[in-house]
Amino acid sequence: MPYNVTTLPNGVRVLTVAMPGRDSAAVAVWVRTGARHESKRVSGISHFLEHMLFKGTKNRTTRQIKEEVEGVGGILNAFTGEEMTCYFSKLLREHYPKALDVLSDMVLNATIPPDEFTREKPVILEEIKMYRDRPSHQVHDLMGELLWPDQPLGRSIAGTPGSVSGLTRSDLAAYMKKEYQNANLLVAVSGNVSHAEVVERVRSIYRRSGTRKSTAFVPADSSQPRLRTNFFEKKTEQTYFVLGFHALARMHPDRYKLGLLHIILGANMSSRLFEEIREKRGLAYEIKSHVSAYHETGAFTVSAGVETAKTAKAASVILKELSKVTKHRVKSGELRRAKDYFMSQVYLGVEDTLDHLLWAGERLLCGNELPDKENILQKIEEVTEDEIREVARSIFRTNGLNMVLVGPVNEKIQREIRKGLVIE
């Protein structure tokens, strides 16, 4: 395995992914905090703080942060998730110490300048409006609310206009002090690099003491006794909808079986849903399935954008396809293609320094486990047709079904849709 992990005495973990022969390197600093760690009042604070870390430190202005990495041809970016925040860079290998220094400076020494805070708040509010103006994005936010109502996991990562408007600079500073602690940090580098050298560089940068335990989040309540729907009427050219089910946790023993089921149903152009919905019936331009996995729960969703008058038909056909896979074993050839696709995506993904680093870092940060290609291959090869059916049966149930729709659907169309929301 190409991985080495060292935990410093102060609690900061260091991961290197050895990739000899690469001209590029990737650097990431992970923080084990995200939207799930937020109260309703400060919803969106992790995402807001991510923005603010680019706005200046004790040692660099916002312009210097960008220029020091981009000035040597690198990329610099970040993302916030439900359970993590990540700051990352990809650049030529000889410049990785520069990216490590810049990213670490951001995480350790951000000053959250008052004038920058004031300017950035309306930018984030506009970002929220942008997402709400995009039905294909809004429908997924609404699905989260339906799957996990009144829970942090069901809220938008960006927050709401009300919660973001109410945030103060002091809120961000307090949240950063609480969450950006050593026990929550993972510093990672991939490429043709020396683990010992990276550890020493990290040790010299992360000198602050303190090994306080990371903050826990409230476990999700994924119980659902009956069908749930949310039909959000909006004037759009298409109607966008998502069908969603509670699924498996990130490290669930059956996660690879679910991954194969996802490929069979809607991961690519040879999937069942693409073939049936788009190729045979012409009901949608885009049709796909998606798997989301978190610490103790997850979701399986199918999304599509269709002509409003065809919404009921499209949803009905999708549910029939889901029903089929609960009743009948998939064919051996279909499962073989899914296995080959799965492993090809794994092997292709680890060829890129950044993709490999993000994959390994997330697994270590959130699952305390590093990926092992050979072990994954073995587990994939062991999956049988009957096991695919059993996983489908455990997830695709009428009383576990959720549907969110955004579009100009009148009451007649809504009634027609509801009649077909059954997995037989």
Side-chain angles (χ1 to χ4, degrees):
M1 293 176 67
Y3 311 114
N4 282 288
V5 180
T6 296
T7 301
L8 301 182
N10 64 1
V12 175
R13 283 194 291 179
V14 184
L15 163 69
T16 59
V17 182
M19 301 179 69
R22 300 301 199 280
D23 291 326
S24 70
V27 182
V29 180
W30 300 80
V31 189
R32 189 167 45 217
T33 191
R36 294 197 68 181
H37 294 82
E38 303 167 355
S39 68
K40 189 173 184 180
R41 183 186 76 81
V42 298
S43 178
I45 194 170
S46 300
H47 173 253
F48 200 148
L49 184 57
E50 174 219 310
H51 279 230
M52 291 308 300
L53 260 64
F54 288 87
K55 301 302 182 181
T57 72
K58 296 176 182 177
N59 306 303
R60 293 173 172 89
T61 65
T62 182
R63 188 170 185 84
Q64 288 172 329
I65 287 172
K66 294 178 285 188
E67 285 184 346
E68 288 196 32
V69 174
E70 295 177 347
V72 293
I75 63 169
L76 183 67
N77 213 330
F79 62 85
T80 302
E82 287 81 3
E83 297 176 350
M84 71 201 79
T85 308
C86 180
Y87 304 88
F88 63 89
S89 177
K90 181 180 180 181
L91 68 180
L92 291 176
R93 184 190 64 80
E94 58 263 35
H95 298 304
Y96 94 82
K98 174 68 70 176
L100 176 61
D101 189 54
V102 170
L103 291 172
S104 299
D105 190 27
M106 292 164 57
V107 169
L108 295 174
N109 302 310
T111 54
I112 315 177
D115 56 337
E116 294 283 3
F117 172 82
T118 301
R119 279 194 293 266
E120 195 65 20
K121 180 180 284 190
V123 171
I124 293 176
L125 291 172
E126 288 305 309
E127 182 181 359
I128 294 172
K129 293 175 186 177
M130 176 187 72
Y131 291 144
R132 292 188 174 186
D133 279 346
R134 295 177 179 175
S136 58
H137 187 284
Q138 183 185 21
V139 73
H140 287 282
D141 277 350
L142 294 174
M143 174 54 70
E145 294 177 8
L146 208 60
L147 286 166
W148 297 286
D150 299 317
Q151 300 177 61
L153 191 55
R155 299 182 196 131
S156 169
I157 291 171
T160 67
S163 66
V164 171
S165 295
L167 289 174
T168 67
R169 180 181 174 276
S170 296
D171 288 330
L172 267 67
Y175 184 81
M176 185 174 184
K177 183 178 181 180
K178 176 185 175 185
E179 301 294 342
Y180 280 52
Q181 55 184 283
N182 292 347
N184 277 347
L185 299 182
L186 172 64
V187 184
V189 181
S190 66
N192 187 17
V193 297
S194 160
H195 180 71
E197 176 188 307
V198 172
V199 169
E200 285 309 307
R201 289 185 182 277
V202 174
R203 192 191 308 273
S204 68
I205 296 171
Y206 292 78
R207 290 176 292 185
R208 69 183 184 186
S209 60
T211 56
R212 187 159 56 94
K213 291 183 179 180
S214 58
T215 307
F217 48 74
V218 178
D221 179 4
S222 296
S223 61
Q224 182 177 338
R226 63 183 66 84
L227 167 75
R228 297 172 182 160
T229 61
N230 181 1
F231 293 168
F232 190 92
E233 292 192 58
K234 190 172 190 176
K235 188 176 181 180
T236 57
E237 293 297 320
Q238 277 188 311
T239 289
Y240 297 83
F241 69 87
V242 178
L243 299 167
F245 304 83
H246 294 101
L248 307 181
R250 178 182 285 106
M251 305 306 292
H252 193 285
D254 290 338
R255 62 189 182 276
Y256 296 116
K257 301 171 188 176
L258 179 61
L260 291 172
L261 177 61
H262 159 54
I263 292 168
I264 290 167
L265 285 173
N268 53 37
M269 291 192 295
S270 56
S271 65
R272 290 188 179 189
L273 291 172
F274 193 94
E275 179 69 17
E276 191 68 28
I277 300 295
R278 175 169 167 168
E279 300 294 82
K280 288 185 178 180
R281 300 174 183 264
L283 291 172
Y285 170 73
E286 185 177 84
I287 172 73
K288 59 185 177 182
S289 60
H290 181 73
V291 175
S292 302
Y294 308 107
H295 178 73
E296 79 290 27
T297 188
F300 186 99
T301 58
V302 178
S303 58
V306 300
E307 181 184 337
T308 300
K310 298 178 179 179
T311 305
K313 179 65 175 178
S316 176
V317 173
I318 290 170
L319 291 175
K320 285 179 181 177
E321 289 300 314
L322 302 187
S323 179
K324 285 179 185 177
V325 81
T326 67
K327 294 179 180 179
H328 310 292
R329 297 172 63 191
V330 299
K331 295 179 180 179
S332 59
E334 187 177 27
L335 181 55
R336 178 71 265 158
R337 290 192 298 274
K339 290 180 177 181
D340 290 343
Y341 182 85
F342 190 109
M343 289 310 303
S344 293
Q345 294 300 300
V346 169
Y347 279 88
L348 289 172
V350 298
E351 287 190 355
D352 180 81
T353 50
L354 180 57
D355 289 346
H356 196 164
L357 187 68
L358 294 179
W359 182 44
E362 179 179 343
R363 289 285 290 267
L364 180 61
L365 186 78
C366 297
N368 205 30
E369 175 184 293
L370 285 162
D372 181 339
K373 290 188 295 184
E374 298 309 312
N375 179 259
I376 294 173
L377 176 60
Q378 178 183 340
K379 291 184 180 296
I380 288 294
E381 290 299 331
E382 290 173 351
V383 176
T384 67
E385 292 90 344
D386 283 332
E387 288 174 329
I388 294 292
R389 182 172 57 181
E390 289 308 309
V391 168
R393 284 176 174 174
S394 70
I395 295 174
F396 302 145
R397 297 170 290 105
T398 300
N399 63 348
L401 172 60
N402 299 272
M403 183 178 187
V404 174
L405 180 152
V406 176
V409 287
N410 56 37
E411 291 186 5
K412 179 181 178 182
I413 295 176
Q414 291 183 28
R415 288 195 298 270
E416 185 182 1
I417 293 170
R418 286 193 172 92
K419 288 180 182 178
L421 295 182
V422 178
I423 296 179
E424 299 174 350

